[in-house]
Amino acid sequence: LVSHAALFGRTEVIENTLNPDFVRKFVLDFFFEEKQNLRFDVYNVDTRSSNISKHDFLGQTFCTLGEIIGDFLGSAGMKLWSPTLSMRLSLQDIATMQLCANKLDKKDFFGKSDPFLVFYRSNEDGTFTICHKTEVIKNTLNPVWQPFTIPVRALCNGDYDRTVKIDVYDWDRDGSHDFIGEFTTSYRELSRGQSQFNVYEVLNPKKKGKKKKYVNSGTVSHTKIRCVPNPSLILGNPAQPTSLHYMSPYQMNTYAMALKAVGEIIQDYDSDKLFPAYGFGAKLPPDGKISHAFPLNGNSEDPNCVGIEGVLEAYFQSLRTVQLYGPTNFAPVINQVARSAQDITDGSQYFVLLMITDGVISDMVQTKEAVVNASALPMSIIIVGVGPAEFDAMEELDGDDVRVSSRGRFAERDIVQFVPFRDYIDRSGNQVLSMARLAKDVLAEIPDQLLSFMKSKGIDPRPAPPASGTPSKPPLNTRI
């Protein structure tokens, strides 16, 4: 494992196999706001020498630490060069999961059932040891239990294929809980997350032995859990080579730099790399209608762009097809993202709106109202100011010192982060350094803002579905 061109550590050597399963773990400091590049080199060990050059080089792979974190639990699949291999990295020792049940047996005479789950770890001698109990969900046959965390070692002693038994009970006040049924699985199966293969039949052996037509006593499955940033791009005003939007063949303009700097880091937390991207303040072909929230790719049915490079392509293409036009209204785009966020307030998704602007804002009253309304929703707003303009209005929206207010109402949370790009421009003209500085500062508040929403709503941490055994990513989304 090589980090920042320095050797970080080596795994153990596994002899005589083409499919090694490495166990040694590495602890690295993770910074959400930084792009932490990693390189993994694979060698075939021929001698006892500690000199790496004495061994046969098989191949290497590159990724960022953010990509690994984006996969959360399970495995991260990556391709190596020369030849194509697959690597798995053990991410953490704490499993977080959430389960639900459907059509459980009715056990209460005057109600339905009060179900809860009991997890058991299997021991080497064939016995089982209880390792977790869920909370009781009253009077339902279709319970959804709260997410919970458990050390993997407690669940399966580190053996992902060890049997895990789960009993389903109906709670009774006197402690004589009624047995509904049971099923078995393993941590490896559970870590595959929500799928048709992770729906378990709850079986009651006594009922099965007595009733010929007995099918099951219900089913238990994973719930769908998604937790994501979700940025959107905002467009400005192009013209001559002096414009902030000028498409130079030699270097990126400041809009593209800001987009690339933030997008390349935050995209690591997305699974499909499809990013909806919008512009505002333009006359659209063919009739010149003014729009304050138009898809950069011109497709109102599907505004998604493939990857950050796709967003950049759509941005440059839009400069050729639309006529940028005032006024510059922020509220329509903020409200558009808020409409998406207000439909999902259970903590399964979190939206981040990235706005890149030259600082001119025409609808401050409406924008402040939109920000106050959005502060109660699972979303953050990043504003990057480009160019030499005065950004007093933007500073007013950033509630670090005084919360934004509108018509006597204050924002529930500080959700706006504003930075002027010019403060991060490297004097020597190094664009890479400028972009790294910008991303580090502008993304620094996002984790705390996400946590502040979850805490304000009393939402416990909820995991992304663990990656499966194949090199695939969980359904995390980030939209730019």
Side-chain angles (χ1 to χ4, degrees), residues 371 381 383 394 397-400 414-418 445 449:
V371 170
I381 302 171
I383 302 176
M394 300 300 102
L397 294 176
D398 193 328
D400 287 342
D414 173 21
I415 65 169
V416 177
Q417 167 76 340
F418 165 75
E445 293 186 11
Q449 290 177 357

Side-chain angles (χ1 to χ4, degrees), residues 71 123 135 141 182 395 431 472:
D71 279 322
N123 303 314
E135 76 282 9
L141 303 181
E182 65 183 9
E395 296 284 3
Q431 287 195 343
S472 61

Side-chain angles (χ1 to χ4, degrees), residues 238-271:
Q240 301 299 320
T242 54
S243 168
L244 295 172
H245 291 282
Y246 178 59
M247 294 181 288
S248 169
Y250 306 108
Q251 62 181 10
M252 291 184 291
N253 63 38
T254 49
Y255 277 83
M257 287 173 62
L259 170 62
K260 191 175 179 69
V262 177
E264 283 195 341
I265 289 179
I266 210 166
Q267 73 173 344
D268 286 342
Y269 307 92
D270 174 75
S271 58

Side-chain angles (χ1 to χ4, degrees), residues 9-25:
R10 298 183 184 182
T11 68
E12 73 280 13
V13 175
I14 299 180
E15 297 182 355
N16 195 31
T17 178
L18 301 180
N19 302 291
D21 193 353
F22 300 106
V23 174
R24 183 171 300 166
K25 296 177 176 64

Side-chain angles (χ1 to χ4, degrees), residues 335-411:
N335 289 331
Q336 178 164 325
V337 177
R339 283 192 291 271
S340 298
Q342 70 184 4
D343 294 332
I344 311 172
T345 58
D346 60 353
S348 61
Q349 293 193 36
Y350 193 84
F351 297 78
V352 180
L353 171 63
L354 168 63
M355 305 182 73
I356 307 175
T357 180
D358 61 8
V360 178
I361 181 169
S362 306
D363 62 340
M364 177 57 77
V365 173
Q366 293 85 350
T367 296
K368 290 169 69 175
E369 176 78 7
V371 170
V372 170
N373 292 336
S375 68
L377 300 174
M379 66 178 286
S380 292
I381 302 171
I382 295 173
I383 302 176
V384 179
V386 297
E390 292 298 325
F391 293 113
D392 293 343
M394 300 300 102
E395 296 284 3
E396 185 179 353
L397 294 176
D398 193 328
D400 287 342
D401 298 321
V402 179
R403 290 282 177 87
V404 178
S405 64
S406 174
R407 295 190 292 183
R409 291 191 306 131
F410 283 86

